[in-house]
Amino acid sequence: MLPNFNYDSALATKCLSSYAKFLQKSSVTFGLIKTQQNNDSSLITLALFGIVLLAFGKIITSSSQLDSTVVILPVIGGLLSQSEANGDNGKLQFSLSPTGELVTSIHDYKSSLISSAPRKPFSKMRIFIYMYTQRLAHAFVMWRFHSFVRDELKS
């Protein structure tokens, strides 16, 4: 919950939609990750040494003064995402309630590091690598993003 919080759905949408801009901060990604955003399609690409790690599709938003503000970033590909035949690669969702509760959730995302591809002999090693790299990096970035949104909404 955010202390001293006055809910403004337009400001909440702007803050939650600024995820790509936020990722460009060197204090968050240590300058290792670059982002590119195409205004026409709202495509966000995260790249490390020119390799696309994750790509997000057009931002989907919904909000009202009475309900939560929700911003959804559909995952459309990248090295860290297992692509599904039906095109549903998961989504990253941010929700902010009028009471100030900020929730980040990931739906239907499958990391390529622990995919169900037939690489069984390495599955325990891949899970270990995921647990101590991608999962921890994501937790750190989300913690920082929540702090960023809180600061933006308080000012």
Side-chain angles (χ1 to χ4, degrees):
M1 301 266 213
L2 299 172
N4 304 322
F5 175 71
N6 291 321
Y7 184 70
D8 176 345
S9 63
L11 180 59
T13 300
K14 180 181 173 188
C15 289
L16 296 176
S17 299
S18 67
Y19 184 65
K21 183 178 176 185
F22 165 79
L23 287 177
Q24 294 182 92
K25 293 178 171 240
S26 60
S27 62
V28 175
T29 59
F30 310 107
L32 297 174
I33 294 178
K34 305 289 183 210
T35 61
Q36 301 169 2
Q37 189 166 4
N38 182 323
N39 289 332
D40 295 333
S41 65
S42 296
L43 179 67
I44 302 167
T45 305
L46 309 176
L48 177 66
F49 304 116
I51 299 169
V52 176
L53 297 176
L54 282 175
F56 297 101
K58 185 173 182 168
I59 296 172
I60 302 165
T61 62
S62 68
S63 64
S64 74
Q65 286 299 118
L66 301 174
D67 297 324
S68 295
T69 296
V70 178
V71 172
I72 298 171
L73 301 170
V75 177
I76 60 171
L79 181 67
L80 297 177
S81 172
Q82 177 184 338
S83 294
E84 294 294 317
N86 65 2
D88 184 11
N89 299 325
K91 61 186 174 189
L92 178 59
Q93 179 174 313
F94 304 108
S95 302
L96 181 66
S97 74
T99 60
E101 182 179 10
L102 176 58
V103 176
T104 300
S105 54
I106 302 172
H107 302 276
D108 304 320
Y109 171 77
K110 292 182 183 162
S111 170
S112 62
L113 292 174
I114 56 173
S115 69
S116 58
R119 296 180 276 202
K120 296 276 185 210
F122 301 106
S123 60
K124 286 185 180 180
M125 180 175 33
R126 289 186 296 133
I127 290 170
F128 178 82
I129 291 168
Y130 169 78
M131 295 295 285
Y132 293 99
T133 58
Q134 187 178 351
R135 184 181 71 94
L136 291 176
H138 180 73
F140 172 75
V141 169
M142 287 298 105
W143 172 69
R144 294 294 307 271
F145 185 65
H146 280 225
S147 295
F148 167 78
V149 170
R150 271 193 296 275
D151 292 345
E152 289 293 308
L153 292 174
K154 284 194 290 187
S155 56

